[in-house]
Amino acid sequence: RRGLVATPLMSVLTGHSPLRMSFACDSGGQTADFLNVSLVKLDFLGPVRPSNLGAVGGTMIALVLDFTMVNMFDSMGTMFGVATAAGMVEKEGNVIGLKKGLLSDAIGTATGALLGTSTVTTVVESAAGIGEGGRTGFTSVITGALFLIALLLAPVTGLIPGVATAPALICGGCLMIGSLKAVDFSEPTEALPAFLTVAMMPLTYSIANGIAFGLISYVVVKVF
């Protein structure tokens, strides 16, 4: 919290962030765009129209499968990570309430798409909330309410540079990396997939890619 206050102040004082707030509001244009372009604008028949069959139709199906797999791996990886940080993983390795969590994630993803927003899904920043003591869904309710307040304070929040929010990601990473202590690094078939999972996430900028590397390598080394 201190960092979110101190960093913008230092950024302004050193000249890295200009001290100006934008109160511009294009209510008519934004509202029209939301209603005419974003709100529940779906084209289910697009991929199967005769004019779109063939290469285009195949591309559409591939995109749907691709995004489905990426979102699934991304969500599962994040949920396992934050659940471990929260101490919500059983001795057998099962996440408590995983089915409910994935269902909430799926509903959020679909609803966000219907409203034309960016993907509403689980994110690693949740670990920062866990570090502050958040353990239940009520934490998310409070966070959502604060986001509604932030809409009114958008001109002020615009003063906060991206570097001010980086510490939250670092804290989240510190909380999640602690789960590596449970990996048996003396066993190569356990250590290699774990290493590839951790290494490929930052190298490919994707949690899903890291998990995919880990799963594939785990199968390969166990079989051969």
Side-chain angles (χ1 to χ4, degrees):
R1 290 188 293 268
R2 297 191 190 100
L4 286 176
V5 175
T7 304
L9 289 177
M10 292 298 297
S11 182
V12 170
L13 292 175
T14 56
H16 290 283
S17 296
L19 185 59
R20 65 171 182 266
M21 295 182 289
S22 174
F23 292 93
C25 181
D26 180 19
S27 58
Q30 292 179 357
T31 302
D33 177 73
F34 174 69
L35 295 176
N36 298 328
V37 180
S38 301
L39 182 61
V40 197
K41 298 298 180 181
L42 305 176
D43 185 10
F44 288 109
L45 299 179
V48 296
R49 285 199 184 97
S51 58
N52 291 337
L53 292 177
V56 177
T59 301
M60 290 291 294
I61 295 174
L63 284 174
V64 171
L65 293 176
D66 182 43
F67 279 114
T68 299
M69 297 301 293
V70 168
N71 188 54
M72 182 184 69
F73 280 128
D74 201 357
S75 298
M76 289 189 66
T78 304
M79 292 191 68
F80 269 95
V82 296
T84 301
M88 298 178 64
V89 179
E90 299 173 342
K91 292 183 179 180
E92 296 79 10
N94 301 320
V95 175
I96 299 174
L98 177 62
K99 183 177 180 180
K100 295 179 180 178
L102 291 176
L103 178 60
S104 299
D105 181 84
I107 293 174
T109 301
T111 304
L114 289 173
L115 298 178
T117 71
S118 55
T119 306
V120 181
T121 184
T122 51
V123 291
V124 70
E125 288 86 346
S126 300
I130 291 173
E132 292 294 324
R135 291 294 188 277
T136 68
F138 188 63
T139 306
S140 300
V141 174
I142 296 298
T143 302
L146 293 176
F147 267 110
L148 290 177
I149 298 174
L151 290 175
L152 303 176
L153 301 176
V156 178
T157 57
L159 291 173
I160 302 176
V163 293
T165 59
L169 293 175
I170 296 174
C171 292
C174 291
L175 289 170
M176 295 178 69
I177 202 69
S179 59
L180 281 178
K181 65 178 181 291
V183 178
D184 184 9
F185 284 98
S186 63
E187 172 57 49
T189 60
E190 299 287 335
L192 179 61
F195 167 74
L196 287 176
T197 301
V198 174
M200 296 310 296
M201 285 183 186
L203 291 178
T204 62
Y205 298 96
S206 171
I207 293 176
N209 287 344
I211 295 176
F213 271 94
L215 289 175
I216 295 172
S217 62
Y218 183 83
V219 174
V220 172
V221 297
K222 287 294 186 181
V223 170
F224 295 101

